[in-house]
PDB file of all heavy atoms in Angstrom:
ATOM      1  N   VAL A 352     -46.764 101.769  22.828  1.00 94.00           N
ATOM      2  CA  VAL A 352     -47.035 103.207  22.764  1.00 94.00           C
ATOM      3  C   VAL A 352     -46.136 103.880  21.698  1.00 94.00           C
ATOM      4  O   VAL A 352     -46.575 104.701  20.897  1.00 94.00           O
ATOM      5  CB  VAL A 352     -46.806 103.861  24.137  1.00 94.00           C
ATOM      6  CG1 VAL A 352     -46.939 105.369  24.061  1.00 94.00           C
ATOM      7  CG2 VAL A 352     -47.788 103.276  25.164  1.00 94.00           C
ATOM      8  N   ALA A 353     -44.820 103.511  21.724  1.00 93.00           N
ATOM      9  CA  ALA A 353     -43.861 104.167  20.862  1.00 93.00           C
ATOM     10  C   ALA A 353     -44.114 103.880  19.414  1.00 93.00           C
ATOM     11  O   ALA A 353     -43.892 104.754  18.554  1.00 93.00           O
ATOM     12  CB  ALA A 353     -42.466 103.722  21.249  1.00 93.00           C
ATOM     13  N   THR A 354     -44.616 102.713  19.060  1.00 93.00           N
ATOM     14  CA  THR A 354     -44.888 102.396  17.673  1.00 93.00           C
ATOM     15  C   THR A 354     -45.984 103.321  17.104  1.00 93.00           C
ATOM     16  O   THR A 354     -45.874 103.817  15.984  1.00 93.00           O
ATOM     17  CB  THR A 354     -45.314 100.928  17.496  1.00 93.00           C
ATOM     18  OG1 THR A 354     -44.273 100.073  17.970  1.00 93.00           O
ATOM     19  CG2 THR A 354     -45.587 100.592  16.011  1.00 93.00           C
ATOM     20  N   PHE A 355     -47.029 103.528  17.908  1.00 93.00           N
ATOM     21  CA  PHE A 355     -48.071 104.441  17.445  1.00 93.00           C
ATOM     22  C   PHE A 355     -47.537 105.862  17.335  1.00 93.00           C
ATOM     23  O   PHE A 355     -47.910 106.615  16.402  1.00 93.00           O
ATOM     24  CB  PHE A 355     -49.273 104.387  18.421  1.00 93.00           C
ATOM     25  CG  PHE A 355     -50.211 103.256  18.166  1.00 93.00           C
ATOM     26  CD1 PHE A 355     -50.220 102.140  19.019  1.00 93.00           C
ATOM     27  CD2 PHE A 355     -51.031 103.251  17.075  1.00 93.00           C
ATOM     28  CE1 PHE A 355     -51.081 101.068  18.777  1.00 93.00           C
ATOM     29  CE2 PHE A 355     -51.894 102.166  16.823  1.00 93.00           C
ATOM     30  CZ  PHE A 355     -51.916 101.098  17.666  1.00 93.00           C
ATOM     31  N   LEU A 356     -46.687 106.278  18.300  1.00 93.00           N
ATOM     32  CA  LEU A 356     -46.151 107.614  18.227  1.00 93.00           C
ATOM     33  C   LEU A 356     -45.255 107.836  17.005  1.00 93.00           C
ATOM     34  O   LEU A 356     -45.370 108.836  16.275  1.00 93.00           O
ATOM     35  CB  LEU A 356     -45.360 107.960  19.507  1.00 93.00           C
ATOM     36  CG  LEU A 356     -46.175 108.109  20.778  1.00 93.00           C
ATOM     37  CD1 LEU A 356     -45.263 108.357  21.963  1.00 93.00           C
ATOM     38  CD2 LEU A 356     -47.135 109.289  20.646  1.00 93.00           C
ATOM     39  N   VAL A 357     -44.356 106.866  16.739  1.00 90.00           N
ATOM     40  CA  VAL A 357     -43.464 106.956  15.594  1.00 90.00           C
ATOM     41  C   VAL A 357     -44.313 106.903  14.304  1.00 90.00           C
ATOM     42  O   VAL A 357     -44.036 107.636  13.334  1.00 90.00           O
ATOM     43  CB  VAL A 357     -42.451 105.841  15.595  1.00 90.00           C
ATOM     44  CG1 VAL A 357     -41.639 105.840  14.309  1.00 90.00           C
ATOM     45  CG2 VAL A 357     -41.504 105.988  16.798  1.00 90.00           C
ATOM     46  N   GLY A 358     -45.351 106.066  14.312  1.00 90.00           N
ATOM     47  CA  GLY A 358     -46.234 106.009  13.134  1.00 90.00           C
ATOM     48  C   GLY A 358     -46.939 107.330  12.874  1.00 90.00           C
ATOM     49  O   GLY A 358     -47.064 107.762  11.715  1.00 90.00           O
ATOM     50  N   ALA A 359     -47.337 107.999  13.950  1.00 91.00           N
ATOM     51  CA  ALA A 359     -48.000 109.288  13.799  1.00 91.00           C
ATOM     52  C   ALA A 359     -47.026 110.344  13.257  1.00 91.00           C
ATOM     53  O   ALA A 359     -47.384 111.141  12.409  1.00 91.00           O
ATOM     54  CB  ALA A 359     -48.570 109.760  15.151  1.00 91.00           C
ATOM     55  N   VAL A 360     -45.813 110.341  13.760  1.00 91.00           N
ATOM     56  CA  VAL A 360     -44.787 111.256  13.250  1.00 91.00           C
ATOM     57  C   VAL A 360     -44.482 111.025  11.789  1.00 91.00           C
ATOM     58  O   VAL A 360     -44.378 111.959  11.000  1.00 91.00           O
ATOM     59  CB  VAL A 360     -43.501 111.160  14.119  1.00 91.00           C
ATOM     60  CG1 VAL A 360     -42.365 111.993  13.488  1.00 91.00           C
ATOM     61  CG2 VAL A 360     -43.751 111.643  15.540  1.00 91.00           C
ATOM     62  N   CYS A 361     -44.298 109.751  11.419  1.00 88.00           N
ATOM     63  CA  CYS A 361     -44.016 109.415  10.021  1.00 88.00           C
ATOM     64  C   CYS A 361     -45.157 109.877   9.085  1.00 88.00           C
ATOM     65  O   CYS A 361     -44.915 110.429   8.021  1.00 88.00           O
ATOM     66  CB  CYS A 361     -43.828 107.908   9.853  1.00 88.00           C
ATOM     67  SG  CYS A 361     -42.287 107.279  10.568  1.00 88.00           S
ATOM     68  N   THR A 362     -46.385 109.628   9.548  1.00 88.00           N
ATOM     69  CA  THR A 362     -47.572 110.041   8.721  1.00 88.00           C
ATOM     70  C   THR A 362     -47.605 111.572   8.586  1.00 88.00           C
ATOM     71  O   THR A 362     -47.871 112.092   7.526  1.00 88.00           O
ATOM     72  CB  THR A 362     -48.838 109.529   9.372  1.00 88.00           C
ATOM     73  OG1 THR A 362     -48.777 108.114   9.518  1.00 88.00           O
ATOM     74  CG2 THR A 362     -50.070 109.867   8.501  1.00 88.00           C
ATOM     75  N   TYR A 363     -47.344 112.270   9.684  1.00 91.00           N
ATOM     76  CA  TYR A 363     -47.359 113.727   9.650  1.00 91.00           C
ATOM     77  C   TYR A 363     -46.297 114.261   8.726  1.00 91.00           C
ATOM     78  O   TYR A 363     -46.561 115.225   7.972  1.00 91.00           O
ATOM     79  CB  TYR A 363     -47.161 114.287  11.070  1.00 91.00           C
ATOM     80  CG  TYR A 363     -47.143 115.787  11.108  1.00 91.00           C
ATOM     81  CD1 TYR A 363     -48.304 116.511  10.899  1.00 91.00           C
ATOM     82  CD2 TYR A 363     -45.950 116.498  11.327  1.00 91.00           C
ATOM     83  CE1 TYR A 363     -48.318 117.911  10.881  1.00 91.00           C
ATOM     84  CE2 TYR A 363     -45.952 117.875  11.334  1.00 91.00           C
ATOM     85  CZ  TYR A 363     -47.137 118.578  11.133  1.00 91.00           C
ATOM     86  OH  TYR A 363     -47.140 119.938  11.137  1.00 91.00           O
ATOM     87  N   CYS A 364     -45.145 113.671   8.701  1.00 90.00           N
ATOM     88  CA  CYS A 364     -44.073 114.118   7.807  1.00 90.00           C
ATOM     89  C   CYS A 364     -44.438 113.901   6.315  1.00 90.00           C
ATOM     90  O   CYS A 364     -44.050 114.695   5.466  1.00 90.00           O
ATOM     91  CB  CYS A 364     -42.750 113.413   8.119  1.00 90.00           C
ATOM     92  SG  CYS A 364     -42.038 113.958   9.686  1.00 90.00           S
ATOM     93  N   VAL A 365     -45.186 112.845   6.045  1.00 88.00           N
ATOM     94  CA  VAL A 365     -45.703 112.622   4.689  1.00 88.00           C
ATOM     95  C   VAL A 365     -46.656 113.769   4.359  1.00 88.00           C
ATOM     96  O   VAL A 365     -46.647 114.290   3.215  1.00 88.00           O
ATOM     97  CB  VAL A 365     -46.375 111.254   4.517  1.00 88.00           C
ATOM     98  CG1 VAL A 365     -46.977 111.092   3.135  1.00 88.00           C
ATOM     99  CG2 VAL A 365     -45.330 110.145   4.757  1.00 88.00           C
ATOM    100  N   HIS A 366     -47.542 114.119   5.274  1.00 90.00           N
ATOM    101  CA  HIS A 366     -48.457 115.252   5.072  1.00 90.00           C
ATOM    102  C   HIS A 366     -47.678 116.518   4.706  1.00 90.00           C
ATOM    103  O   HIS A 366     -48.046 117.257   3.775  1.00 90.00           O
ATOM    104  CB  HIS A 366     -49.260 115.533   6.359  1.00 90.00           C
ATOM    105  CG  HIS A 366     -50.527 114.726   6.454  1.00 90.00           C
ATOM    106  ND1 HIS A 366     -51.687 115.149   5.905  1.00 90.00           N
ATOM    107  CD2 HIS A 366     -50.786 113.539   7.051  1.00 90.00           C
ATOM    108  CE1 HIS A 366     -52.640 114.223   6.120  1.00 90.00           C
ATOM    109  NE2 HIS A 366     -52.138 113.266   6.845  1.00 90.00           N
TER     110      HIS A 366
END
Side-chain angles (χ1 to χ4, degrees):
V352 175
T354 301
F355 278 107
L356 289 177
V357 173
V360 171
C361 290
T362 304
Y363 179 70
C364 288
V365 175
H366 272 274

